[in-house]
Amino acid sequence: MFRYNHLNRTEVEHFEAPYNKNLVEVCLQDVSVNPVGDPCWTPVPCVMPARYCEFAERIRNLKVYEDDVWIVTFPKAGTTWTQEMVWLIDHDLDYCTAREVKLFERSVFLELNAIFNDLQLPDTISQVEQMTRPRHIKSHLPITLLPKQLWTARPKIVYTARNPRDVAASFMHHYRHLHGFRGSQEDFLDGFVADKLCWCPLVKHALEFWRVSESRPDHVLFLHFEDMKRDMPKVLRKVCDFFGKSLSEEQVEELKKHLSFEVMKENTSANQQLLVTRMTKAMGNDTEEFIFMRKGIVGSHNDKLPEKYITKLEKTVKDQLLGTTFSYRE
């Protein structure tokens, strides 16, 4: 079902991380299920650590249920924010359970164990299989690596995109502290612009979900991080419509406050800091300087990325979006 292409070691060794070793391109060969619906659709290869190859078939063949809820994003595009928002709306604002049960237990990260070497993490695929329905499942995988039954069972999928410049700035911090990257900023940004980091390519990741959302809006809801920052009530109503839910003005305001960055950052049940602490301790890293939710702002790249990389990244994104009507928010 998959072909695995080893990348040029000289090219990628500068931006590999010790817990994401031996990057490969994972290429889907089975096109019997066409999520995009375009007869000319060709699966896009995805960069993953070699460890992922041991799990690729299990994930692709995972049983999917119609009442599943899937949260899919590229890393650092507002994933945690979206998970908490969607879980609460789908569970009729059950703040009590949301406080008592950690988000990573309520919304399990499907491929977590498949991407980190040597950390002895729990089998997250089995965790998903054993979850009580309706399941909430998080993933950063692109369309081609996700379970094929997603496109036949058609559960609810919520996808969140974020401007690539801000993703780069946030992912760089994440990649260094959580993936163990020890290279330079320039090494990381070279890998990011070249689409050679885990879960890349970035633009096509978003573009394919956007195409599905355009043709099947009842199946995939496409959100933008920037819209969540600028007009959260509007986004909340959109998510409610998607799930057939209704909230009063007071409930919208209450949920907006709960989801504010200031509240989420201090919310130990939802901010993923406990999970991160466990992982960084297993790596032997200093956990004190790593904060999972740091800024959560639009334009965070301005004080993090050199101008030459912003220019290079903008050109890369523009080239990859050529011929489409999709655009990222500014």
Side-chain angles (χ1 to χ4, degrees):
M1 187 179 296
F2 291 103
R3 183 181 75 254
Y4 304 103
N5 298 333
H6 288 273
L7 300 176
N8 184 301
R9 299 302 309 148
T10 303
E11 179 185 359
V12 300
E13 64 183 358
H14 300 294
F15 39 80
E16 282 190 336
Y19 296 99
N20 303 138
K21 298 174 183 175
N22 303 319
L23 297 177
V24 299
E25 277 189 337
V26 183
C27 310
L28 177 66
Q29 294 184 295
D30 176 17
V31 292
S32 59
V33 177
N34 185 332
V36 178
D38 180 351
C40 299
W41 177 72
T42 302
V44 177
C46 177
V47 176
M48 296 297 280
R51 174 180 173 82
Y52 183 82
C53 304
E54 303 172 26
F55 301 87
E57 299 285 349
R58 280 184 66 195
I59 291 175
R60 187 66 179 168
N61 292 312
L62 182 78
K63 176 70 175 177
V64 174
Y65 300 98
E66 185 179 2
D67 59 358
D68 282 346
V69 175
W70 289 70
I71 306 300
V72 185
T73 70
F74 193 84
K76 309 312 294 179
T79 320
T80 302
W81 208 10
T82 306
Q83 285 175 274
E84 182 76 351
M85 172 180 65
V86 170
W87 190 93
L88 281 166
I89 288 176
D90 191 40
H91 288 83
D92 301 316
L93 305 186
D94 183 359
Y95 293 109
C96 181
T97 300
R99 285 191 296 267
E100 294 175 356
V101 182
K102 302 298 183 186
L103 181 59
F104 62 79
E105 297 174 4
R106 291 182 275 126
S107 186
V108 176
F109 186 1
L110 174 64
E111 70 269 19
L112 179 64
N113 185 48
I115 58 172
F116 284 99
N117 291 286
D118 308 324
L119 290 187
Q120 298 181 338
L121 295 169
D123 185 339
T124 45
I125 303 171
S126 293
Q127 285 185 339
V128 167
E129 292 171 334
Q130 295 162 14
M131 289 177 75
T132 301
R133 293 171 57 187
R135 308 179 302 182
H136 276 235
I137 303 161
K138 159 193 167 179
S139 179
H140 295 313
L141 295 174
I143 274 179
T144 53
L145 302 192
L146 284 166
K148 60 186 177 183
Q149 288 186 12
L150 274 179
W151 318 111
T152 52
R154 295 198 177 188
K156 296 292 188 184
I157 302 172
V158 179
Y159 187 93
T160 303
R162 186 182 187 184
N163 191 292
R165 293 167 298 186
D166 287 344
V167 169
S170 186
F171 196 22
M172 182 164 55
H173 174 80
H174 189 90
Y175 201 62
R176 181 173 302 282
H177 293 283
L178 197 54
H179 293 247
F181 179 64
R182 293 293 177 265
S184 66
Q185 180 191 60
E186 186 172 17
D187 286 339
F188 171 86
L189 293 173
D190 283 342
F192 189 84
V193 173
D195 270 329
K196 298 299 184 184
L197 301 181
C198 287
W199 295 289
C200 283
L202 165 63
V203 174
K204 292 179 181 177
H205 196 292
L207 188 57
E208 295 211 314
F209 275 96
W210 176 78
R211 291 178 67 189
V212 178
S213 74
E214 289 286 284
S215 60
R216 295 203 292 273
D218 60 330
H219 182 199
V220 176
L221 176 64
F222 196 100
L223 302 177
H224 292 267
F225 175 93
E226 294 77 11
D227 292 346
M228 294 166 70
K229 290 294 295 185
R230 292 173 177 140
D231 194 349
M232 177 60 88
K234 183 177 180 179
V235 173
L236 294 179
R237 294 186 184 95
K238 183 183 293 188
V239 176
C240 284
D241 288 344
F242 185 63
F243 284 96
K245 303 284 186 176
S246 179
L247 297 180
S248 68
E249 291 297 325
E250 293 77 14
Q251 288 174 319
V252 168
E253 284 302 310
E254 181 183 23
L255 184 53
K256 174 187 173 183
K257 181 178 179 180
H258 176 85
L259 294 171
S260 68
F261 185 80
E262 293 73 23
V263 172
M264 283 283 289
K265 186 175 181 179
E266 302 301 323
N267 183 349
T268 56
S269 180
N271 64 14
Q272 307 285 27
Q273 197 64 37
L274 178 59
L275 177 62
V276 167
T277 298
R278 291 178 184 174
M279 292 178 64
T280 50
K281 281 184 177 179
M283 295 177 185
N285 291 345
D286 182 3
T287 61
E288 293 184 2
E289 64 174 307
F290 181 76
I291 301 173
F292 190 82
M293 300 185 72
R294 293 187 309 133
K295 294 184 178 180
I297 62 174
V298 175
S300 62
H301 66 277
N302 289 321
D303 59 354
K304 290 291 182 182
L305 304 185
E307 186 62 36
K308 68 173 184 178
Y309 278 101
I310 293 176
T311 302
K312 188 183 296 186
L313 182 56
E314 287 177 341
K315 182 181 186 308
T316 299
V317 171
K318 182 179 180 181
D319 290 346
Q320 293 187 25
L321 290 179
L322 197 64
T324 78
T325 56
F326 174 72
S327 61
Y328 288 99
R329 299 286 197 264
E330 293 295 329

